[in-house]
Amino acid sequence: MNHEELIYYCVDIVNTYRDSFLSPEDHLKDYLSSKNLKDNDAVFVSEVFSGLLRYMNISLVVTEPFYNTHGRGVPLSDQTLLKVITYLALFRLDELGMPHFRKFIRTQDFNIMYKFLNFFINESSLKSWIKDEWSKLYDVAFVQTALLSPLLRWLPELTELVQQLKQKVDAKQTPVKKQLPLTKVKEFSLTKPRPRSVPLPYPIPKLQKHKPVPKTLYEKPKEVNRLQAQRIENRQAAEGRLMESSKYQFACANFNKSEKTERKLQQIRLEEDQKLQFDSYKAKPLPKEVMQTDVPIKLNAATIMREGKLFKEREKEVIKKLESLESGAHDSSKFMKWQEEMRQKDLEAELAMVERRRLEGKMSHEDAILARQKLINDNQKKVEEMKIETEELMARYLQDRLEEEQLMRSLVEMVLGGRENAKEAKKKLVQYKAKIVQEVNEESKELMRRALEEAEEEMKRKVELIHQIRAMEAAPISRNKMVDFTETAGYRFLNEMSIAELRERLSLLKEKQAEEEETKRTEILQNKQSKDRMLMDTLTVISKYRAEDTRAKAELRANLRVKKESTKEKLLNSDDKLLSLQEKLEMKKAERLEAQQKMKVKPSATSLRQTSSMMREKSKCEERRWAELEKTKKRVSNLQAEGHGNATANNRLTATNGSRLAVQSRPFIMT
């Protein structure tokens, strides 16, 4: 059998199959028996049919996008044919070989096969979206080994087949054109035009001479130089103050904290932050004053009825329990007694464990204090050694700074000497510019005076015109119209009424509405009174139950407190481990107190004198600062009274004085 018939039978068996009526095996037997195919042909058709049904999803991944994008002009009846070609290319190409596959393709329409194979046999599409779609259906390893690898291995031969199909399609579509005779061109017999005259050149315009760029653009402004000089002066003054303060600095001042102190501070901050549970839903407890005083709680109707229902249900449960006891039910008093004993034992064990942990924690705290005191002594020795080294380094640094200052001062003096000559030339230029400005101001004043006179005349004319218009509008016009409320409008409607009749009817309707509202109000008041009586009865029942519950709870709390205290005393007296821990704790505490007494440092006479002198200097600085503040306030008040300065000048004066005093009062920090 030839290749065209084999393809036809493969497509036909797939098209005639209906899965709702027959199974694939039955349909295959019926079809082969009806066609009387040879053994080899029947095997090929059956294998293609079963394989295509098994891997139908793989074929649909290729054929459906083909019809959506490139399937224009391809009939839908050929979709099964394209599925068969896809199956043969993916799974049977190694078995068939390229010659048989090429024969299967050539038996079909060239245009359809070229479109489909050009879409399918594309390396970029196979490795991108087709692979991704197949990976959604099957495992990635299966897609790579069973589908893509064989197809990519045959890709050069398949691309050659696509090129052959393209050549056939192009050869089929290109029509043969007839050779037409060429057109011969003949010249027109026209008169030759005269040669054009050369136009005169346009005159080149001369541009005006531009103003030269002022030299001041490339020079720094005077303010920058002043600021630089002020910075140098301030730095020199600050360094002098630093030298003076370094001579009289405190011997005990050490602002840097040790690493252990920083770690402890960080740990304390973390513990404090952990206590701040902002996201927790736990409500704050009421203050003790509110808990001690009996504050009346206002209840709404729903709360009262709900609580009354709860107490009624409790009453029913108690009555039911008593009835069951009368009828001979089991009493659980023995079990409750045993349960109470077990709870008491658990409580004693828990209290013993808590007390043991508390004593162990205190002992570890005492050990930590002793270790900390030892570390402080070691650190003090290290600090004394570091102070001696820093004093030597500071002396060297100050010597170097003095030499640098002397060099800078000599350079500044040389620069200032060269700038004095430039200042005289600048003064002459400023005087010349001032004369020019004065002349221009006089001319502008004259022009402004003329413009003001013209504006005044125009304003007078407009005011006169406005007066005339207002006088015309002030003339009286009568716009009154007499109205009779008893007459109708005269439109001759059946329900037409006058205004007086309408008002009468409205008054009657209002009276009727008021009567209905009064009846409703009385009904609502009666319902409300009955509801209030019911709520008051419920409240009396609730208050009785609450008083009984509070009394029972108070007795229970008192009993528990007494039991807890008695068990704690028994444990302390009976447990040998707790007694030994208590004795060890007392010994550690005594050792710590003795070490603290040894570490106490008595102030010497020199330190007392230094502290007293510091306090006196501090008080003097405060007095000077307040005196300067009072002087500035007096100066501002005098200026405001005399009228020599405006508010902005006064504010500027007070701000500068305040900033100067703030700088004097705060300590200097070297940057």
Side-chain angles (χ1 to χ4, degrees), residues 150-203:
L151 193 61
L152 293 174
R153 193 168 60 251
W154 288 98
L155 193 63
E157 288 83 359
L158 291 171
T159 51
E160 185 179 356
L161 177 61
V162 173
Q163 293 297 327
Q164 293 174 4
L165 291 172
K166 184 181 179 182
Q167 291 175 3
K168 288 188 177 182
V169 170
D170 294 338
K172 186 177 180 181
Q173 289 179 355
T174 53
V176 179
K177 294 183 179 180
K178 295 180 180 180
Q179 292 290 335
L180 298 175
L182 298 174
T183 305
K184 295 181 180 180
V185 180
K186 291 182 179 181
E187 295 184 357
F188 293 101
S189 58
L190 299 174
T191 56
K192 293 182 179 180
R194 292 179 182 178
R196 293 184 180 181
S197 61
V198 178
L200 294 173
Y202 291 105

Side-chain angles (χ1 to χ4, degrees), residues 437-479:
V437 168
Q438 190 175 1
E439 293 174 359
V440 172
N441 287 335
E442 290 176 357
E443 292 178 359
S444 62
K445 285 179 182 178
E446 182 66 24
L447 293 172
M448 286 292 292
R449 186 180 61 77
R450 291 176 185 174
L452 286 171
E453 289 177 356
E454 292 176 358
E456 286 179 359
E457 292 177 358
E458 184 69 20
M459 185 60 69
K460 287 178 182 178
R461 188 179 64 78
K462 288 181 179 179
V463 168
E464 185 65 28
L465 185 62
I466 289 166
H467 282 308
Q468 292 176 5
I469 292 168
R470 287 182 179 174
M472 292 171 66
E473 289 177 351
I477 299 170
S478 63
R479 295 185 178 87

